[in-house]
Coordinates of all heavy atoms in Angstrom, one line a residue:
M1 N 17.0 39.2 -11.9 CA 17.1 39.9 -13.2 C 16.1 41.0 -13.3 O 16.4 42.0 -14.0 CB 16.8 38.8 -14.3 CG 17.0 39.3 -15.6 SD 18.8 39.6 -15.8 CE 18.8 40.5 -17.3
I2 N 15.0 41.0 -12.5 CA 14.1 42.1 -12.5 C 14.6 43.3 -11.8 O 14.2 44.4 -12.2 CB 12.7 41.6 -11.9 CG1 11.6 42.5 -12.2 CG2 12.8 41.4 -10.4 CD1 11.2 42.5 -13.6
R3 N 15.4 43.2 -10.8 CA 15.9 44.3 -10.0 C 16.8 45.2 -10.9 O 16.6 46.4 -10.9 CB 16.7 43.9 -8.8 CG 17.2 45.0 -7.9 CD 17.9 44.5 -6.7 NE 18.9 43.5 -7.0 CZ 20.2 43.7 -6.8 NH1 20.6 44.8 -6.3 NH2 21.0 42.7 -7.1
P4 N 17.7 44.7 -11.7 CA 18.5 45.6 -12.6 C 17.6 46.3 -13.7 O 17.8 47.5 -13.9 CB 19.5 44.7 -13.2 CG 19.7 43.6 -12.3 CD 18.4 43.3 -11.7
A5 N 16.6 45.6 -14.1 CA 15.6 46.2 -15.1 C 14.9 47.3 -14.5 O 14.7 48.4 -15.0 CB 14.8 45.1 -15.7
L6 N 14.3 47.1 -13.3 CA 13.5 48.1 -12.6 C 14.5 49.3 -12.2 O 14.0 50.5 -12.2 CB 12.9 47.5 -11.4 CG 11.7 46.6 -11.7 CD1 11.2 46.0 -10.3 CD2 10.7 47.2 -12.5
T7 N 15.7 49.0 -11.9 CA 16.6 50.1 -11.6 C 16.9 51.0 -12.8 O 16.8 52.2 -12.7 CB 18.0 49.5 -11.1 OG1 17.7 48.8 -9.9 CG2 18.9 50.6 -10.8
E8 N 17.1 50.4 -14.0 CA 17.3 51.2 -15.1 C 16.0 51.9 -15.6 O 16.1 53.0 -16.1 CB 17.8 50.3 -16.3 CG 19.1 49.7 -16.1 CD 20.2 50.6 -15.8 OE1 20.2 51.7 -16.4 OE2 21.1 50.4 -15.0
I9 N 14.8 51.4 -15.4 CA 13.6 52.1 -15.7 C 13.4 53.2 -14.7 O 13.1 54.3 -15.2 CB 12.4 51.1 -15.6 CG1 12.4 50.1 -16.6 CG2 11.1 51.8 -15.5 CD1 11.5 48.9 -16.6
G10 N 13.8 53.0 -13.5 CA 13.7 54.2 -12.5 C 14.7 55.3 -12.8 O 14.3 56.5 -12.7
I11 N 15.9 54.9 -13.3 CA 16.8 55.9 -13.7 C 16.3 56.7 -15.0 O 16.5 57.9 -15.1 CB 18.3 55.3 -14.0 CG1 18.8 54.9 -12.7 CG2 19.1 56.2 -14.7 CD1 20.1 54.0 -12.8
F12 N 15.7 55.9 -15.9 CA 15.1 56.5 -17.0 C 14.0 57.5 -16.7 O 13.9 58.6 -17.3 CB 14.5 55.5 -18.0 CG 13.9 56.0 -19.2 CD1 14.8 56.3 -20.3 CD2 12.6 56.2 -19.3 CE1 14.2 56.8 -21.5 CE2 12.0 56.7 -20.5 CZ 12.8 57.0 -21.6
L13 N 13.3 57.3 -15.6 CA 12.2 58.2 -15.2 C 12.5 59.4 -14.5 O 11.7 60.3 -14.3 CB 11.1 57.3 -14.6 CG 10.4 56.3 -15.4 CD1 9.4 55.5 -14.5 CD2 9.6 56.9 -16.6
I14 N 13.8 59.5 -13.9 CA 14.3 60.5 -13.1 C 14.0 61.9 -13.7 O 13.4 62.8 -13.1 CB 15.6 60.3 -12.6 CG1 15.7 59.2 -11.6 CG2 16.3 61.5 -12.0 CD1 17.2 58.8 -11.2
P15 N 14.5 62.2 -15.0 CA 14.3 63.5 -15.5 C 12.8 63.9 -15.6 O 12.5 65.1 -15.4 CB 15.0 63.4 -16.9 CG 16.0 62.4 -16.7 CD 15.4 61.4 -15.8
F16 N 12.0 63.0 -16.0 CA 10.5 63.2 -16.1 C 9.9 63.6 -14.7 O 9.1 64.5 -14.6 CB 9.8 62.1 -16.7 CG 10.2 61.8 -18.1 CD1 11.1 60.9 -18.5 CD2 9.6 62.6 -19.2 CE1 11.5 60.6 -19.8 CE2 10.0 62.4 -20.5 CZ 10.9 61.4 -20.8
A17 N 10.3 62.9 -13.7 CA 9.9 63.2 -12.3 C 10.4 64.5 -11.9 O 9.6 65.2 -11.2 CB 10.3 62.1 -11.4
V18 N 11.6 64.9 -12.1 CA 12.1 66.2 -11.8 C 11.4 67.3 -12.4 O 11.0 68.3 -11.9 CB 13.6 66.3 -12.0 CG1 14.2 67.7 -11.8 CG2 14.4 65.3 -11.1
Y19 N 11.1 67.1 -13.8 CA 10.3 68.1 -14.5 C 8.9 68.3 -14.0 O 8.3 69.4 -13.8 CB 10.3 67.8 -15.9 CG 9.6 68.8 -16.8 CD1 10.1 70.1 -17.0 CD2 8.4 68.5 -17.5 CE1 9.5 71.1 -17.7 CE2 7.8 69.5 -18.3 CZ 8.3 70.8 -18.3 OH 7.6 71.8 -19.1
A20 N 8.3 67.1 -13.6 CA 7.0 67.2 -13.0 C 7.0 67.8 -11.7 O 6.0 68.7 -11.4 CB 6.4 65.7 -12.9
L21 N 7.9 67.6 -10.8 CA 8.1 68.4 -9.6 C 8.2 69.8 -9.9 O 7.7 70.6 -9.1 CB 9.2 67.8 -8.7 CG 9.0 66.4 -8.1 CD1 10.2 65.9 -7.5 CD2 7.8 66.5 -7.2
F22 N 9.0 70.2 -10.9 CA 9.2 71.6 -11.2 C 7.8 72.2 -11.6 O 7.5 73.3 -11.2 CB 10.2 71.7 -12.4 CG 10.2 73.1 -13.0 CD1 10.8 74.2 -12.3 CD2 9.6 73.4 -14.2 CE1 10.8 75.5 -12.9 CE2 9.6 74.6 -14.8 CZ 10.2 75.6 -14.2
L23 N 7.0 71.5 -12.5 CA 5.7 72.0 -12.8 C 4.8 72.2 -11.6 O 4.1 73.1 -11.5 CB 5.1 71.0 -13.8 CG 5.7 71.1 -15.2 CD1 5.1 70.1 -16.1 CD2 5.7 72.4 -15.8
V24 N 4.9 71.2 -10.6 CA 4.0 71.3 -9.4 C 4.4 72.5 -8.6 O 3.6 73.3 -8.2 CB 4.1 70.0 -8.7 CG1 3.5 70.2 -7.3 CG2 3.4 68.9 -9.4
A25 N 5.8 72.7 -8.4 CA 6.3 73.8 -7.7 C 6.0 75.1 -8.3 O 5.7 76.1 -7.5 CB 7.8 73.6 -7.5
S26 N 6.1 75.2 -9.6 CA 5.8 76.5 -10.3 C 4.3 76.7 -10.5 O 3.9 77.7 -11.1 CB 6.6 76.6 -11.5 OG 6.1 75.6 -12.4
R27 N 3.5 75.8 -10.2 CA 2.0 75.8 -10.4 C 1.7 76.1 -11.8 O 0.8 76.9 -12.2 CB 1.4 76.9 -9.5 CG 1.6 76.7 -8.0 CD 1.1 77.8 -7.2 NE 1.5 77.7 -5.9 CZ 0.7 77.2 -4.8 NH1 -0.4 76.8 -5.1 NH2 1.2 77.2 -3.6
S28 N 2.4 75.4 -12.8 CA 2.1 75.6 -14.1 C 1.1 74.7 -14.7 O 0.9 74.7 -16.0 CB 3.5 75.4 -14.9 OG 4.4 76.4 -14.5
G29 N 0.5 73.8 -14.0 CA -0.4 72.8 -14.5 C 0.2 71.6 -15.1 O 0.7 71.5 -16.2
L30 N 0.3 70.6 -14.2 CA 1.0 69.4 -14.5 C 0.4 68.6 -15.5 O 1.1 68.1 -16.5 CB 1.1 68.5 -13.2 CG 1.8 67.1 -13.4 CD1 3.2 67.3 -13.8 CD2 1.7 66.4 -12.0
M31 N -0.9 68.6 -15.6 CA -1.7 67.8 -16.6 C -2.1 68.5 -17.9 O -2.7 67.9 -18.6 CB -2.9 67.1 -15.9 CG -2.6 66.3 -14.6 SD -1.4 65.0 -15.0 CE -2.5 63.8 -15.7
T32 N -1.7 69.7 -18.0 CA -2.0 70.4 -19.3 C -1.1 70.1 -20.3 O 0.1 69.9 -20.1 CB -2.1 71.9 -19.0 OG1 -0.8 72.4 -18.6 CG2 -3.2 72.3 -18.0
L33 N -1.5 70.0 -21.6 CA -0.7 69.6 -22.7 C 0.3 70.7 -23.0 O 1.4 70.4 -23.4 CB -1.6 69.4 -23.9 CG -0.9 68.7 -25.1 CD1 -0.2 67.5 -24.7 CD2 -1.9 68.5 -26.2
S34 N 0.0 72.0 -22.7 CA 1.0 73.1 -22.9 C 2.2 73.0 -22.1 O 3.2 73.7 -22.4 CB 0.2 74.4 -22.9 OG -0.2 74.6 -21.5
S35 N 2.1 72.3 -20.9 CA 3.2 72.2 -20.0 C 4.2 71.2 -20.5 O 5.4 71.1 -20.0 CB 2.8 71.8 -18.7 OG 2.0 72.9 -18.1
W36 N 3.9 70.4 -21.5 CA 4.7 69.3 -22.0 C 4.9 69.4 -23.5 O 4.6 68.5 -24.3 CB 4.1 67.9 -21.7 CG 4.0 67.6 -20.2 CD1 2.9 67.9 -19.4 CD2 5.0 67.0 -19.4 NE1 3.2 67.6 -18.2 CE2 4.4 66.9 -18.1 CE3 6.2 66.4 -19.6 CZ2 5.1 66.3 -17.1 CZ3 6.8 65.8 -18.6 CH2 6.3 65.8 -17.3
P37 N 5.6 70.5 -24.0 CA 5.9 70.7 -25.4 C 6.8 69.6 -25.9 O 7.6 69.0 -25.1 CB 6.4 72.0 -25.5 CG 6.9 72.4 -24.1 CD 6.1 71.6 -23.1
V38 N 6.7 69.4 -27.1 CA 7.5 68.3 -27.8 C 9.1 68.5 -27.6 O 9.8 67.5 -27.3 CB 7.2 68.1 -29.3 CG1 8.1 67.1 -30.0 CG2 5.8 67.8 -29.5
I39 N 9.5 69.7 -27.7 CA 10.9 70.0 -27.5 C 11.4 69.6 -26.1 O 12.5 69.0 -25.9 CB 11.3 71.5 -27.9 CG1 12.8 71.6 -27.9 CG2 10.7 72.4 -27.0 CD1 13.4 71.1 -29.1
I40 N 10.5 70.0 -25.1 CA 10.9 69.6 -23.7 C 10.9 68.1 -23.5 O 11.9 67.6 -22.8 CB 9.9 70.3 -22.7 CG1 10.1 71.8 -22.8 CG2 10.2 69.8 -21.3 CD1 11.4 72.4 -22.4
V41 N 9.9 67.4 -24.0 CA 9.8 66.0 -23.9 C 11.1 65.3 -24.6 O 11.6 64.4 -24.1 CB 8.5 65.4 -24.4 CG1 8.4 64.0 -24.4 CG2 7.3 65.9 -23.5
G42 N 11.4 65.9 -25.7 CA 12.6 65.3 -26.5 C 13.8 65.5 -25.7 O 14.7 64.6 -25.6
R43 N 14.0 66.6 -25.1 CA 15.2 66.9 -24.2 C 15.2 65.9 -22.9 O 16.2 65.5 -22.6 CB 15.2 68.3 -23.8 CG 15.6 69.3 -24.9 CD 15.7 70.7 -24.5 NE 16.0 71.6 -25.7 CZ 15.9 72.9 -25.6 NH1 15.5 73.5 -24.5 NH2 16.2 73.6 -26.7
L44 N 14.0 65.8 -22.4 CA 13.9 64.9 -21.2 C 14.2 63.5 -21.7 O 14.9 62.7 -21.0 CB 12.5 64.9 -20.6 CG 12.1 66.2 -19.9 CD1 10.7 66.2 -19.6 CD2 13.0 66.4 -18.7
L45 N 13.7 63.1 -22.8 CA 14.1 61.7 -23.4 C 15.5 61.5 -23.6 O 16.1 60.5 -23.3 CB 13.3 61.5 -24.6 CG 13.4 60.1 -25.3 CD1 12.8 59.0 -24.4 CD2 12.7 60.2 -26.6
L46 N 16.2 62.6 -24.2 CA 17.6 62.5 -24.5 C 18.4 62.5 -23.2 O 19.3 61.6 -23.0 CB 18.1 63.7 -25.3 CG 19.6 63.8 -25.7 CD1 19.9 62.6 -26.6 CD2 19.9 65.1 -26.3
G47 N 18.1 63.2 -22.2 CA 18.7 63.2 -20.8 C 18.5 61.8 -20.2 O 19.4 61.3 -19.6
S48 N 17.3 61.3 -20.3 CA 17.0 60.0 -19.7 C 17.9 58.9 -20.3 O 18.4 58.0 -19.7 CB 15.5 59.6 -19.9 OG 14.7 60.4 -19.2
L49 N 18.0 58.9 -21.7 CA 18.8 57.9 -22.4 C 20.4 58.1 -22.0 O 21.0 57.1 -21.8 CB 18.6 58.0 -23.9 CG 17.3 57.6 -24.4 CD1 17.2 57.9 -25.8 CD2 17.0 56.2 -24.1
L50 N 20.8 59.3 -21.9 CA 22.2 59.5 -21.4 C 22.4 59.0 -20.0 O 23.5 58.4 -19.7 CB 22.5 61.0 -21.5 CG 22.7 61.5 -23.0 CD1 22.9 63.1 -23.0 CD2 23.8 60.8 -23.7
L51 N 21.4 59.2 -19.1 CA 21.5 58.7 -17.7 C 21.6 57.2 -17.7 O 22.4 56.6 -17.0 CB 20.4 59.2 -16.9 CG 20.5 60.6 -16.3 CD1 19.2 60.9 -15.5 CD2 21.7 60.7 -15.3
V52 N 20.8 56.6 -18.5 CA 20.7 55.1 -18.6 C 22.1 54.5 -19.1 O 22.6 53.6 -18.5 CB 19.5 54.6 -19.4 CG1 19.7 53.1 -19.7 CG2 18.2 54.9 -18.6
I53 N 22.6 55.1 -20.2 CA 23.8 54.7 -20.8 C 24.9 54.9 -19.7 O 25.7 54.0 -19.6 CB 24.1 55.4 -22.1 CG1 23.1 55.0 -23.2 CG2 25.5 55.3 -22.6 CD1 23.1 55.8 -24.4
L54 N 25.0 56.1 -19.1 CA 26.0 56.3 -18.1 C 25.9 55.3 -17.0 O 26.9 54.7 -16.5 CB 25.9 57.7 -17.5 CG 26.9 58.1 -16.4 CD1 28.3 58.2 -17.0 CD2 26.5 59.4 -15.9
S55 N 24.7 55.0 -16.5 CA 24.6 54.0 -15.4 C 25.0 52.6 -15.8 O 25.6 51.9 -15.0 CB 23.1 54.0 -14.9 OG 22.3 53.4 -15.8
L56 N 24.7 52.2 -17.1 CA 25.1 50.9 -17.5 C 26.7 50.9 -17.7 O 27.3 49.9 -17.3 CB 24.5 50.6 -18.9 CG 23.0 50.3 -18.8 CD1 22.4 50.2 -20.2 CD2 22.8 49.1 -18.0
I57 N 27.3 52.0 -18.1 CA 28.8 52.0 -18.2 C 29.3 51.9 -16.8 O 30.3 51.1 -16.6 CB 29.3 53.2 -18.9 CG1 28.9 53.1 -20.4 CG2 30.7 53.5 -18.7 CD1 29.1 54.4 -21.2
L58 N 28.9 52.6 -15.8 CA 29.3 52.6 -14.4 C 29.2 51.3 -13.8 O 30.0 50.7 -13.1 CB 28.7 53.7 -13.6 CG 29.1 55.1 -14.0 CD1 28.3 56.2 -13.2 CD2 30.6 55.3 -13.7
L59 N 28.0 50.7 -14.1 CA 27.7 49.3 -13.6 C 28.7 48.3 -14.1 O 29.3 47.5 -13.3 CB 26.3 48.9 -13.9 CG 25.9 47.5 -13.5 CD1 25.7 47.5 -12.0 CD2 24.6 47.1 -14.1
A60 N 29.0 48.4 -15.4 CA 30.0 47.5 -15.9 C 31.4 47.7 -15.4 O 32.2 46.8 -15.2 CB 29.9 47.5 -17.5
Q61 N 31.7 49.0 -15.2 CA 33.0 49.3 -14.7 C 33.4 49.0 -13.3 O 34.4 48.5 -12.9 CB 33.3 50.8 -15.0 CG 34.7 51.3 -14.7 CD 35.7 50.7 -15.7 OE1 35.4 50.4 -16.8 NE2 37.0 50.6 -15.2
F62 N 32.4 49.2 -12.4 CA 32.6 49.1 -11.0 C 32.0 48.0 -10.3 O 32.0 47.9 -9.1 CB 32.2 50.4 -10.3 CG 33.0 51.6 -10.8 CD1 32.5 52.6 -11.5 CD2 34.5 51.6 -10.4 CE1 33.3 53.7 -11.9 CE2 35.2 52.7 -10.8 CZ 34.6 53.7 -11.6
S63 N 31.3 47.1 -11.0 CA 30.7 45.9 -10.3 C 31.4 44.7 -10.6 O 32.2 44.6 -11.6 CB 29.2 45.8 -10.7 OG 29.1 45.4 -12.1
G64 N 31.2 43.6 -10.0 CA 31.8 42.4 -10.2 C 33.1 42.2 -9.4 O 33.4 42.9 -8.5
A65 N 33.8 41.1 -9.7 CA 35.0 40.8 -8.9 C 36.2 41.7 -9.3 O 36.2 42.2 -10.5 CB 35.3 39.3 -9.2
P66 N 37.1 41.9 -8.5 CA 38.3 42.7 -8.9 C 39.1 41.9 -10.0 O 39.0 40.7 -10.1 CB 39.1 42.8 -7.6 CG 38.5 41.9 -6.5 CD 37.1 41.4 -7.1
P67 N 39.9 42.6 -10.7 CA 40.6 42.0 -11.8 C 41.7 40.9 -11.2 O 42.1 41.1 -10.1 CB 41.4 43.1 -12.5 CG 40.7 44.3 -12.0 CD 40.1 44.0 -10.7
H68 N 41.9 39.9 -11.9 CA 42.7 38.8 -11.7 C 42.3 38.1 -10.4 O 43.2 37.4 -9.7 CB 44.2 39.3 -11.5 CG 44.7 40.1 -12.7 ND1 44.9 39.6 -13.9 CD2 44.9 41.5 -12.8 CE1 45.2 40.5 -14.7 NE2 45.3 41.7 -14.1
S69 N 41.1 38.1 -10.0 CA 40.6 37.3 -8.9 C 40.2 35.9 -9.4 O 39.9 35.7 -10.6 CB 39.4 38.0 -8.2 OG 38.3 38.0 -9.1
T70 N 40.2 35.0 -8.6 CA 39.9 33.5 -8.9 C 38.6 33.2 -8.1 O 38.5 33.4 -6.9 CB 41.0 32.7 -8.4 OG1 42.2 33.0 -9.0 CG2 40.7 31.2 -8.8
Y71 N 37.7 32.6 -8.8 CA 36.5 32.2 -8.2 C 36.6 30.7 -7.7 O 37.0 29.8 -8.4 CB 35.3 32.2 -9.3 CG 34.0 31.7 -8.7 CD1 33.3 32.3 -7.7 CD2 33.5 30.5 -9.2 CE1 32.1 31.9 -7.2 CE2 32.3 30.0 -8.7 CZ 31.6 30.7 -7.7 OH 30.4 30.3 -7.2
F72 N 36.3 30.5 -6.5 CA 36.2 29.2 -5.9 C 34.8 28.8 -5.7 O 34.0 29.4 -4.9 CB 37.0 29.1 -4.5 CG 38.4 29.5 -4.7 CD1 38.9 30.7 -4.4 CD2 39.3 28.4 -5.1 CE1 40.3 31.0 -4.6 CE2 40.7 28.7 -5.2 CZ 41.1 30.0 -5.0
P73 N 34.3 27.8 -6.5 CA 32.8 27.5 -6.4 C 32.4 26.9 -5.1 O 33.2 26.5 -4.3 CB 32.6 26.5 -7.5 CG 34.0 26.0 -7.8 CD 35.0 26.9 -7.4
A74 N 31.1 26.9 -4.8 CA 30.6 26.4 -3.6 C 30.9 24.8 -3.5 O 31.0 24.2 -4.6 CB 29.0 26.5 -3.6
H75 N 31.2 24.4 -2.4 CA 31.6 23.0 -2.1 C 31.2 22.5 -0.8 O 30.8 23.3 0.1 CB 33.1 22.8 -2.5 CG 33.9 23.6 -1.5 ND1 34.2 24.9 -1.7 CD2 34.6 23.3 -0.4 CE1 34.9 25.4 -0.8 NE2 35.2 24.4 0.1
L76 N 31.3 21.2 -0.6 CA 31.0 20.6 0.8 C 32.3 20.4 1.5 O 33.3 19.9 1.0 CB 30.2 19.3 0.5 CG 28.8 19.4 0.0 CD1 28.3 18.1 -0.3 CD2 28.0 20.1 1.0
E77 N 32.3 20.8 2.7 CA 33.4 20.5 3.6 C 32.8 19.9 4.9 O 32.0 20.6 5.6 CB 34.2 21.7 3.9 CG 35.2 22.2 2.9 CD 36.0 23.3 3.3 OE1 36.0 23.7 4.5 OE2 36.7 24.0 2.5
N78 N 33.2 18.7 5.2 CA 32.7 18.0 6.4 C 31.2 18.0 6.5 O 30.5 18.2 7.5 CB 33.3 18.7 7.7 CG 34.8 18.6 7.8 OD1 35.3 17.6 7.3 ND2 35.4 19.6 8.3
G79 N 30.5 17.9 5.4 CA 29.0 17.8 5.4 C 28.3 19.2 5.4 O 27.1 19.2 5.4
R80 N 29.1 20.3 5.3 CA 28.5 21.6 5.3 C 28.8 22.3 4.0 O 29.9 22.1 3.5 CB 29.1 22.4 6.5 CG 28.8 21.8 7.8 CD 29.2 22.8 8.8 NE 28.0 22.9 9.7 CZ 28.0 23.8 10.7 NH1 28.9 24.7 10.8 NH2 26.9 23.8 11.5
L81 N 27.8 23.0 3.5 CA 28.0 23.7 2.3 C 28.7 25.1 2.5 O 28.3 25.9 3.4 CB 26.6 24.0 1.7 CG 26.6 24.8 0.4 CD1 27.2 23.9 -0.8 CD2 25.2 25.2 -0.1
V82 N 29.8 25.2 1.8 CA 30.6 26.4 1.9 C 30.3 27.2 0.7 O 30.5 26.7 -0.5 CB 32.2 26.1 2.0 CG1 32.9 27.3 2.0 CG2 32.4 25.2 3.2
P83 N 29.8 28.4 0.8 CA 29.5 29.2 -0.4 C 30.7 29.5 -1.2 O 31.8 29.6 -0.8 CB 28.8 30.5 0.1 CG 29.2 30.5 1.6 CD 29.5 29.2 2.0
G84 N 30.5 29.9 -2.5 CA 31.5 30.2 -3.4 C 32.1 31.7 -3.1 O 31.3 32.5 -2.6
V85 N 33.4 31.8 -3.3 CA 34.0 33.1 -3.0 C 35.0 33.4 -4.1 O 35.4 32.6 -4.9 CB 34.8 33.1 -1.6 CG1 33.9 32.9 -0.5 CG2 35.8 31.9 -1.7
E86 N 35.3 34.7 -4.2 CA 36.3 35.2 -5.2 C 37.4 35.8 -4.4 O 37.3 36.6 -3.5 CB 35.6 36.3 -6.0 CG 34.5 35.7 -6.9 CD 33.9 36.8 -7.7 OE1 34.3 37.9 -7.7 OE2 32.8 36.5 -8.3
K87 N 38.6 35.2 -4.7 CA 39.8 35.6 -3.9 C 40.9 36.0 -4.9 O 41.0 35.6 -6.0 CB 40.4 34.5 -3.1 CG 39.5 34.1 -1.9 CD 40.1 33.1 -1.1 CE 39.1 32.6 0.1 NZ 39.7 31.6 0.8

């Protein structure tokens, strides 16, 4: 459960990291307050939220079992554990 949460946090931070790299490349002063105006931070926040929403939609759309598949749970055969599969 922690991996999907960390993935979404990472996706949220991508626009801020790209802007920070831009500031470093342009030598504008990464840690100065004037480099992070409220309007830019707001746009970065909006872009981050849109990326997270898009990633959640894509995750729901393209992950999991194919439609109309049947799950066969794990079971024992001849004393060996056979993992569950979706067919």
